[in-house]
Structure formats: C-alpha cells, structure tokens
Amino acid sequence: MTRRKKISTPTIPTGVAPGANPSGLNRRAFLQGGLALTAATTGGKLSAAEPPLPWLHTPGAPLTNYGQPSEQERKVIRWITPNRQVPGNGVSWTPLHELEGIITPSGLHFERHHNGVPQIPADQHRLLVHGLTQRALSFSIADLLRYPLRTRLAFIECGGNSNAGWNLEPLQTKAGYLHGMASCSEWTGVPLSTILDEAGVAPEARWLVLEGADAIAMNVSLPLHKATDDCLLALYQNGERLRPENGYPLRLLVPGWEGVLNVKWLRRIELSREPVMARNETSRYTELQPDGKARQFTFVMGVKSLITTPSPGAVLSRGLHELRGLAWSGHGRIKKVEISVNGGKTWTQAELQTPVLPQCFTRFRLPWQWRGQAAVLKSRATDEAGNVQPERTKLIAERGRAGYFHYNAIVAWALDSDGELSHVYA
Ligand SMILES: Nc1nc2c(c(=O)[nH]1)N[C@H]1C(S)=C(S)[C@@H](COP(=O)(O)O)O[C@H]1N2
Ligand SMILES: [Mo]
C-alpha cells in the first residue's frame, strides 16, 4: 500500500515577470511566473511524515437532503443593517468580498424588504392582470408553469446601492457592505410579454402598475416598452424555486433597471395610461438636484465596478497577486475594465472572465506584483454603450450633494506598506 506523501507548499513566485509595466500590473505575469509554481511543486522535497488527519481513516458524515456550506465557511453571511424601528424593513448585503465567479448563491442574494417576508403557499397565490387590457386574467402558479420558460442571468441592484459613497468621509467597512445591494442569479420564468399578449394590451396603455403580496402591498410603475422587451415573471432562481426572501412564489425580473421595479411576491399588474406615482417613485428612488428639482424614473443602473480581492479587511503579502473584481451595467455588456494601482495616474486593462453577458455580473482579473509600496487600487469599467464609470469628483460635480441613489463612482482602496487596505476618496 502506498502511503500518501506530504508535498511541500508551493512558493508563489515573487520575481518581477518579464514584460511587467512599472506599476507591476501584467496580464501575463502568472503565465510567465507560473513556471516557478510548477517547479516548486514537483521539485520541492517530499516529506513522508503524515500528521494525524482523522478524515483519511474514519468514515465521513452521512448523506443529507439539502446541502449546507462547510462549517469552515459559516462566516460567509449576509450582513444585516441594524434597524430598530421596523424589523421587517431593511437591507441585508451580499458579501461580495467573500465570493468568486459571477453567480450569487441564493442564500446570499441581498435582501431589501419594506415590510418583511410573507410566507405564501404557492397554490394560494394568484397573479391578476387587468386594467387597459382586452380581458382581465388571473393566473395560478401552476398556470404560469405551463407556458414556455426562458432562462437568463441577470444582476439585481437596489437604486440605493453604494449610497455611502455620498458621505463626506469614506465609510470603513468591507466591500460587500458598501456595494453588496447587488447580486446576480440565473433566473427562469415566463416572459412578461407572453402574459401581456394573452391579456391583450389596449392601444392607449403606456404603463404597468405592479403590486406585491407583502403586507405593505408595495407598488411601483413600469413603462410598457420595458415590460414587452425583456422582463421575466421569475419562478426559479439558480435552478431551484425562488427563495421566500427573493419573492417566492413569483417575482418580476426587470433586467438592468433599479431593484425596486423587480417586485417580489407579485400579485397584480394593472395596465394604465399614467404611472401610479407610488411612494417608491416619488418620495423614494428619486433624486434631489442642486436646483431643488428631483430626477424621477431614473431606471437604468449605471456602469459600475469594484475590486473585491483584495479589499478592506484583507492583509496583503508582498509578491504576485491576482487582483479580482466585479463589473456590471444596466445598459448592456461590460466592454472593458481597467485597473490602476497608483490612484488613477496609469491604467492597465484587466482580463474579462467569460461569459460576458448583458445586465450580468462580469468577473475581471489582473495579476499584480506588489513590492510593498503604498498604493491606491481602483477599477474603471466601460460598457458596450460607451458609458465609463466616473471618478467620484465628476459624479458629484454632475449630480450635486443631495444625491442618495444611483451612486456608481470609481471605488478606491488604499494599501499601506503593512499590506492593510482601507476605503478612500482618491
Ligand atoms: N413586494 C415587494 N417587492 C420588492 C420590495 C419590497 O419591499 N416588496 N423591495 C424592492 C427593492 S427596493 C429591491 S432593491 C428589490 C430587492 O430584491 P431582493 O430582496 O430579492 O434582493 O426588491 C424590490 N421588490
Ligand atoms: Mo431598492
């Protein structure tokens, strides 16, 4: 019987890869330095000593009906903003800094509720479609499941995401608790256009009034052109039925548009000539401008990106690292992401991880040789419509100081010579 051999840990190469630019950013660094990794693994000393590792000898745990993350990973959780007034009204944030890839695990999708999570038996739920239609229709979940389904990936982002960026001082917290009112899932459901065709939209209809079955009957208005374009009556999230907190048994997916339009526990769609002027499109999710007027119906979420690894809370060691992050835009696909390690003086294009899909998280990566100098890390995304993520100073110059929603400025992490990161305005 061959004993398992302990192999010495590979040492990450620290030499400067040929072709690296002066900032140490180099898309090919791992390709070139990777040789050192292989050499360390195969050429390193093999140790015959084996520490007592019980799982090598003792049978493991029994089967389970529904898998849970490893005990070691139970710290990867949504962070709930404390709210002492109304427990059901608030936000929990996706820990973007703990995650990889582009899919948010369903149990970590951010939550935004105005009056708690209703527990709805699917067989008692109905969707009513009425108003300016040829006929009023009522659908059960079973009815909806008989229509042709469509699947797509899409992020949902609250219009209030990243709003700490408007603060005078940079908030010191982890990346996900600043920018994690955004999550990305695979959604499956019935195209809203299918159901609108069934009802027959009257020619004078311009808007849909959407209403949820939560105890606040949250409602909001959606322009008809978006409803017939790419909206989905979502029943499944990441392959399984929706989670209660994300709208079980039925929610609307409005790709790329602000979170509030993605009405959860959807129970009523009324076709109308005018928007309903609900709370969430008048006193909320509108933006006061310097002249005292408010921007209203600012639906599309702007192009945004941030470096998630490393980010505040992490301590960086010297040597070669892969800078990793997320970019997304409500306007379509991400076209490019650039990274700066000197606060924006020079930029290097990062690699975009495929697939790069419209209105979807896009993962970017770029190797970086850190030699221990103080640095300011930034990422800047550009989308296929040509929108470029703005510097914070530019965003504030354009929008004034009374803004609260739709903050999408470039995010800066300062790295000190001890390898500690903090959130800065730079
Ligand atoms: N019925 C209902 N739908 C709702 C809400 C709500 O409170 N009630 N919150 C909205 C807001 S403001 C956002 S940002 C998204 C959040 O969706 P999530 O909780 O699945 O992340 O749901 C929207 N849909
Ligand atoms: Mo929201």
Side-chain angles (χ1 to χ4, degrees):
M1 188 191 115
T2 43
R3 296 281 296 166
R4 287 189 183 85
K5 296 250 167 28
K6 189 180 177 287
I7 299 175
S8 61
T9 319
T11 43
I12 305 288
T14 51
V16 184
N21 68 28
S23 62
L25 291 168
N26 178 7
R27 282 181 69 171
R28 296 172 54 79
F30 275 101
L31 252 171
Q32 291 149 349
L35 290 170
L37 260 177
T38 322
T41 310
T42 54
K45 274 200 187 128
L46 299 180
S47 154
E50 190 178 275
L53 304 173
W55 54 90
L56 294 179
H57 312 289
T58 319
L63 308 160
T64 54
N65 292 112
Y66 198 97
Q68 294 294 319
S70 159
E71 288 286 349
Q72 314 290 304
E73 301 298 325
R74 295 285 161 89
K75 62 183 191 308
V76 180
I77 52 170
R78 295 190 277 229
W79 180 71
I80 302 167
T81 304
N83 181 340
R84 273 160 239 93
Q85 293 144 8
V86 194
N89 180 6
V91 180
S92 71
W93 304 72
T94 294
L96 297 174
H97 51 280
E98 308 260 26
L99 303 177
E100 247 304 325
I102 58 173
I103 301 284
T104 309
S106 300
L108 294 176
H109 194 288
F110 85 94
E111 303 163 279
R112 173 76 186 98
H113 321 302
H114 291 79
N115 201 6
V117 179
Q119 305 299 318
I120 304 175
D123 60 2
Q124 288 177 37
H125 191 74
R126 295 289 180 277
L127 171 65
L128 174 66
V129 182
H130 70 138
L132 297 175
T133 59
Q134 271 149 31
R135 49 180 180 270
L137 293 173
S138 169
F139 297 88
S140 68
I141 296 298
D143 294 336
L144 289 173
L145 281 166
R146 293 182 60 182
Y147 285 91
L149 300 178
R150 292 285 173 270
T151 294
R152 68 162 293 164
L153 271 65
F155 71 80
I156 293 179
E157 180 178 21
C158 180
N161 191 28
S162 312
N163 59 15
W166 297 109
N167 294 1
L168 290 174
E169 295 300 325
L171 183 67
Q172 296 307 330
T173 184
K174 298 197 174 173
Y177 311 146
L178 283 166
H179 305 289
M181 254 200 276
S183 308
C184 187
S185 296
E186 185 198 77
W187 305 96
T188 299
V190 182
L192 178 55
S193 59
T194 306
I195 294 314
L196 293 177
D197 284 348
E198 286 279 59
V201 175
E204 63 274 26
R206 291 288 172 276
W207 291 80
L208 281 69
V209 180
L210 312 163
E211 187 186 290
D214 44 350
I216 199 172
M218 204 212 74
N219 66 347
V220 73
S221 315
L222 177 74
L224 179 61
H225 67 85
K226 180 66 172 174
T228 53
D229 179 14
D230 59 357
C231 294
L232 207 57
L233 291 162
L235 297 151
Y236 292 83
Q237 176 181 7
N238 297 329
E240 62 184 1
R241 294 291 291 276
L242 300 175
R243 294 286 170 99
E245 56 269 37
N246 303 116
Y248 183 86
L250 180 68
R251 87 172 304 164
L252 190 64
L253 176 73
V254 186
W257 287 27
E258 59 186 10
V260 68
L261 298 159
N262 296 253
V263 173
K264 301 188 281 190
W265 318 295
L266 181 66
R267 71 182 290 263
R268 195 168 71 86
I269 297 177
E270 183 178 349
L271 277 293
S272 66
R273 278 189 192 81
E274 305 286 346
V276 71
M277 296 298 176
R279 174 181 181 270
N280 278 316
E281 59 203 30
T282 50
S283 96
R284 299 290 186 283
Y285 300 103
T286 53
E287 292 166 80
L288 202 55
Q289 313 243 68
D291 64 1
K293 290 186 178 167
R295 302 200 309 167
Q296 194 182 17
F297 303 125
T298 49
F299 296 124
V300 185
M301 296 309 294
V303 62
K304 187 183 278 190
S305 74
L306 73 147
I307 295 172
T308 51
T309 306
S311 60
V315 181
L316 206 67
S317 57
R318 288 172 196 218
L320 190 55
H321 291 272
E322 186 176 65
L323 303 179
R324 302 166 179 151
L326 288 171
W328 64 94
S329 170
H331 297 279
R333 287 180 180 78
I334 291 297
K335 193 169 153 221
K336 70 172 174 186
V337 176
E338 299 153 292
I339 291 183
S340 174
V341 292
N342 51 24
K345 286 197 202 76
T346 57
W347 297 89
T348 303
Q349 209 165 317
E351 186 184 328
L352 300 186
Q353 167 84 67
T354 54
V356 177
L357 300 169
Q359 292 98 22
C360 183
F361 276 5
T362 297
R363 179 61 63 175
F364 64 84
R365 308 176 189 284
L366 183 63
W368 181 45
Q369 181 70 48
W370 185 51
R371 303 185 190 94
Q373 77 277 24
V376 175
L377 314 185
K378 289 183 173 181
S379 64
R380 177 172 70 189
T382 302
D383 66 26
E384 63 182 347
N387 301 292
V388 183
Q389 191 180 3
E391 286 287 358
R392 184 172 180 274
T393 44
K394 182 167 179 253
L395 185 77
I396 288 176
E398 278 169 12
R399 303 259 300 278
R401 289 259 27 146
Y404 181 78
F405 296 100
H406 288 269
Y407 183 94
N408 70 329
I410 289 173
V411 177
W413 308 136
L415 175 66
D416 66 20
S417 53
D418 295 331
E420 287 189 19
L421 291 118
S422 56
H423 178 207
V424 291
Y425 295 152

